[in-house]
Each structure stands twice: as C-alpha cells, then as structure tokens.
Amino acid sequence: MEIRQHLSQVDLFKGLTVEELEAIARIVSNKEYKKGQLIFSEGDEGVGFYLVISGRVKVYKLSPEGKEQIMHIFGPGQPFAEVPVFEGSRYPANAETMDNCKLFFFPKKDFVSLILENPSLAMNMLASLSQRLKQFSNLIETLSLKEVPGRLASYLLYLSDKNGSIDEFKLDIAKSQLASLLGTIPETLSRIFTKMGNRDLIRTNGPQITILDRTGLEDLAEGETKL
Amino acid sequence: MEIRQHLSQVDLFKGLTVEELEAIARIVSNKEYKKGQLIFSEGDEGVGFYLVISGRVKVYKLSPEGKEQIMHIFGPGQPFAEVPVFEGSRYPANAETMDNCKLFFFPKKDFVSLILENPSLAMNMLASLSQRLKQFSNLIETLSLKEVPGRLASYLLYLSDKNGSIDEFKLDIAKSQLASLLGTIPETLSRIFTKMGNRDLIRTNGPQITILDRTGLEDLAEGETKL
DNA sequence: CGCTGCGTTGAGCTTCTTCAACGATCGTGG
DNA sequence: CCACGATCGTTGAAGAAGCTCAACGCAGCG
C-alpha cells in the first residue's frame, strides 16, 4: 500500500515493524492543498497533526498589525502541529502551504491510542518534539541575541551546509519569506544583502548566492564582526 | 519514602501507579545547589534531566558579548533539560539556580528504560514537552512581534492572573532578570516602568506592583496602543 | 562603615522600521 | 504574442525604538 511506503521513510516512524506501520497507515487520511492555502489558524480546534509528503508548509504567528513571524518551515518527511495532540486542544499558530502540497493527516484520538500501545513510537515522537524544542531555542537565541546581519549570515551558512558545504547555492525560499523567518522585513534584508555584497562576503544574483568569504560570514554569525 | 512523596505531586508523574512511582524513585538522585550556582552549560554532555523540588532555576542563552536571554524559569514541580534525553546528547542552553535549590536528577539511560515500559509516563512526558513548545512559541511571538512595553504589559497581566487576577502583587524576580526574560536590558525596562507609572497604568514601589488600568495594559499587550 | 549589587536617569548613537517610489519578473487574458 | 497587472525586490529619506556608556542613589550585608 502506498501510504505505508511513505511512512516507512519517515524519521518519526523509523525502527517500527511492518505491522506497526500498517496500524498507523490505517488511521491516516490523505489531504491535498494548493499553494498558499491556509491549513489552520491559531486558536482552531486541534483535531490531529500532519505529515508533509510533498511541498512545504510554513507555521507562523501574526501580530495585530499584520507582521508575520515564521516559526518553522516544514518539508517532506516532517510532522507538524503535534502540540494540541498532547497538550491543550488548540493550535498555537497558523499554518499555510508554500507550494502545492500533499499531506497525511493523523487524527488525535486514534494516534494517541497507537502511542499508548507502542513505546517505540512514543520515543520517536519524544525525539521529534525535542528536536523542535532545540530549533525553537535556536530561533529565540537568534532573534534576541543577534542582529539581523548575524542572523542572515547564520542562515546562509546553514543553507550552505545543507547543500554539502558548497559555496554556491540557491535560496530555498523567497527573500520576503526569509525576512519573516529572520524576524525582520524585506527592506532591511535587502539592504543587508547589498552590504554583504559590498564587503565581498557574498555575491548574489537573484536567489543565487555565492559565498566569497566563509570566515567573514562566520565571524558575523558569531557576532564578532559588524557590517 | 520521601522521594516518592515528591514524585506523586508532580504533573509529569500524575496518574501513575504506586509501583510505577517506586520504580521511578529508584533511579532518582537528590541534588542540592546554592543560589547562583551553575548546573550545566550549553554544550555539556546531557546525562539526564532534572526536576525542581524547591527554589527556582533559570535556563538561558548567552551572546558572545555576554548578553543573557532567559528562555524559561522553572519552579517546584517542573522538569527541565529533557531535550538531550531524547534527541542529541548535549544541553542546548545554560542552567543556573536563582535560589538555594533542591533538585531531583534522572539519569538518561534509566529513564529511557522506564519510558519504554510505561506508556502513561511517555504520554505525560509528551504533554510536558508540548507545553514547553507552546511556551517557546509564545516567547518567539513576544520577542519578534511585540515591542518592549507590550512584553512588559503581558508579563504583568500574566503575573496578576497567577495571583488570582488581583491588582496588587510583587514581582517574582529581580527587575534585571525580568529584563533578560523580556529580551531587553535593565535600563530600557526601568524607563518603561517609569512611563507606565506616568500614564497611570500601574504604580510601582520597588518590586511591588499595583495595576491601576487593566484595560490600558491589555491594549498595550495586544499592540493596540503605544506608550 | 564601606562595599557591592541593583535600579534609575541622562545623553548620544546605532539599528531597524516606516513610508514612498520605482524597476524587474512572471503569469494571464485579451 | 503582447500588454497588463500583480508580486517581489530594491533604494532613499526620515523617524522611532532600543542600546551603550556614564553617573549616581540606595539598600543590604559583611
């Protein structure tokens, strides 16, 4: 069955037996969303969680004035919106697709039953939440202790790493979305890109980035240098 | 036995049988720390997690220039430093006591064994991590989408609620620590306290706070007003 | 009694945002 | 196929928010 194929490739379900995977597959429902579609809003009743099969999903908060802070961007293989499954009942943020997406949906009640019968699954879920917690710590640190140039430098180095530590790569999201992820606005981000170019730290061509001075970027990311 | 007494009153272990509590009690070790003592540093090997019995513990990150961002303050009954038990092996932040503290320590290996045999315990831990995740989302939102006056207003309202929605209460932490929790510095915080006083939103006398205009504070917290 | 840590206040400055305008790109419909 | 509108990104000028540095008062404690 196709669902089980997908599940078996996901970290959350690694190490599980075929029978366990089948049990999980039985509770899954398939969902499709168009690009830019709202999946749920902050405060909505949390009836279950999701797994990204294809496309990307952003989870974000909005200020009353409409400023957006992206908390996390989820890609294929990643679960999101688990919080209301285990604590409280409402989603603490908004979720929206960034591409056309295929998602699996896991109803809260059914999934909790599975967890209670399956300690490995529980451990996997604990690992997943712990990882998220670590990522959130990093975001908090970044937002509160680094200036925007440092945040951007960190992000570029992270992207480079993800691409095998190569010096040339493409931004995986639009710059305006990157601004929101870094806790700033497009104008500010754009100015910093320009400055980084002037200092010969990077070269940009649209979404294409070339790292010219890796050490310089690292110093920026660590707050040892200013632009 | 005294350890089990403590455990039975803690959310993390609620709903467990006496036998289960005893099994947990067997792996606990008792620790005492003086006020201001470092419990662990970011990057240290995470050999287990802690439960606060008495006193308070702050978990925080430091910037290279020495600025501190408090991630969370833990009081009696709350577990902390669970992340490296389930994901990775190092503490992602620093922990330090704010008072003389009694802590329980749960060794990673032993505790994982218990989790694997005890689905209720696993569920409780999932709930605990989920709650933390929610709190972190809030902190991210606060740091990124609110200005400092709004953050302070939120905190004061939160404190008031914690004290039974009463209008007069004492700050539970030093103002310099509050600054660090709100992602700012003591000077800025002090100026905002003064302004709030001038606008007759609150009256302060050292750590004693009186809320004069609850609605005004709420507007500030929601970003609908400026100071 | 003096020391130390905490809180407050002032002046100046840096960083970031706001507001406005404009160029480029892309997809769509005429 | 071209034209148009929408979205995105960039740039400039001005202003706001918060930070740095410095000085000082005050309380608690050795």
Side-chain angles (χ1 to χ4, degrees), chain A residues 102-127:
Chain A
K102 295 190 185 180
L103 306 180
F104 284 174
F105 176 77
F106 300 78
K108 173 172 174 166
K109 254 192 131 170
D110 299 336
F111 192 76
V112 167
S113 307
L114 290 181
I115 289 255
L116 288 172
E117 292 163 6
N118 192 330
S120 309
L121 179 57
M123 272 304 293
N124 283 356
M125 185 54 91
L126 284 166

Side-chain angles (χ1 to χ4, degrees), chain A residues 68-111:
Chain A
E68 170 190 280
Q69 172 67 47
I70 296 180
M71 320 274 302
H72 201 83
I73 293 176
F74 295 92
Q78 300 187 299
F80 67 96
E82 311 95 324
V83 164
V85 172
F86 303 111
E87 220 284 318
S89 64
R90 299 181 175 280
Y91 296 117
N94 312 284
E96 188 181 315
T97 57
M98 304 178 77
D99 312 293
N100 291 334
C101 281
K102 295 190 185 180
L103 306 180
F104 284 174
F105 176 77
F106 300 78
K108 173 172 174 166
K109 254 192 131 170
D110 299 336
F111 192 76

Side-chain angles (χ1 to χ4, degrees), chain A residues 19 45 47 68 103 128 134 151 188 195 226:
Chain A
E19 294 78 35
E45 195 67 24
V47 288
E68 170 190 280
L103 306 180
S128 176
K134 225 164 50 177
R151 298 179 211 166
T188 299
K195 273 197 191 176
K226 303 238 167 186

Side-chain angles (χ1 to χ4, degrees), chain B residues 171-212:
Chain B
L171 288 179
D172 53 352
I173 53 176
K175 288 183 180 173
S176 62
Q177 293 296 285
L178 179 55
S180 167
L181 187 61
L182 298 181
T184 185
I185 58 175
E187 291 96 321
T188 298
L189 185 65
S190 175
R191 291 181 228 275
I192 291 170
F193 265 123
T194 304
K195 273 196 190 177
M196 283 186 172
N198 292 340
R199 301 290 155 85
D200 290 326
L201 293 168
I202 60 173
R203 199 151 34 77
T204 66
N205 180 16
Q208 189 75 23
I209 309 285
T210 310
I211 295 185
L212 300 177

Side-chain angles (χ1 to χ4, degrees), chain A residues 141-187:
Chain A
E141 175 180 21
T142 280
L143 289 173
S144 152
L145 300 176
K146 290 182 184 172
E147 298 176 347
V148 184
R151 298 179 211 166
L152 176 55
S154 301
Y155 186 79
L156 294 178
L157 292 168
Y158 153 79
L159 264 194
S160 166
D161 274 15
K162 229 181 52 172
N163 288 276
S165 298
I166 211 160
D167 282 344
E168 202 159 344
F169 53 88
K170 263 191 154 181
L171 287 180
D172 53 352
I173 53 176
K175 287 183 182 173
S176 63
Q177 293 295 287
L178 179 54
S180 167
L181 188 60
L182 299 180
T184 186
I185 57 177
E187 292 96 320

